Structures are given as structure tokens and as C-alpha cells.
Amino acid sequence: NLVRAGRFIEAERHLRQEVMLQPRSSQACRNLGVVLGGIGRWMEAVRLLRRAARLDPADASIASDLGQALLRLGDRAGAM
């Protein structure tokens, strides 16, 4: 796993390609959002995680990740 190996730039590049190839994949969007958040790019992470949540509103893990990202941006109300 590129993320576990600390290879975030490569992971981001790979996941961006995955999102381009599968634009309706909630998991592809979620994975990229999580990587972006992991490198401190919270605004981009929120955008991807919101997209993932729209694609699969029943996925609690996406909602949780989005809530965490919103908290990092100081949006407590949005995180609830």
C-alpha cells in the first residue's frame, strides 16, 4: 500500500487516475479524499468526500471521514 509506505504523492497520482476512470465510484472518491486529508489538504479532501457521500449516502465510513475532515477545517456544525 502506497499510503502505508509513506508514498503519498504516488498514492495521490494513482487515486486521481482511479477517480478519472471511475467518476461514479464513491470508494475512489473517498480514498482520494482520505489521502488528501492525510497530507493536510483538507479543502480538497472535503470536496472529494462530499462527492463520495452524494454517490453513496448510506456509507457510514464516508460520512465519518467527511465529518473528520470538516472538523479539521473548524466546521463543527457541518461535521455533525
Side-chain angles (χ1 to χ4, degrees):
N1 182 308
L2 294 171
V3 173
R4 287 189 190 128
R7 295 162 54 187
F8 296 105
I9 301 300
E10 288 177 72
E12 178 189 356
R13 185 172 48 240
H14 171 77
L15 291 168
R16 282 195 188 278
Q17 286 179 324
E18 187 175 334
V19 168
M20 286 176 48
L21 292 171
Q22 300 179 66
R24 306 275 313 148
S25 169
S26 62
Q27 287 306 306
C29 293
R30 176 185 181 231
N31 292 340
L32 179 55
V34 168
V35 166
L36 290 170
I39 57 177
R41 291 165 52 190
W42 294 107
M43 293 292 285
E44 289 177 88
V46 165
R47 184 177 55 81
L48 268 295
L49 292 166
R50 281 188 171 140
R51 181 173 163 188
R54 280 191 305 274
L55 291 167
D56 189 356
D59 188 324
S61 61
I62 292 172
S64 175
D65 291 337
L66 176 56
Q68 294 287 332
L70 288 166
L71 281 175
R72 291 296 207 149
L73 289 176
D75 184 356
R76 292 186 66 172
M80 298 305 210

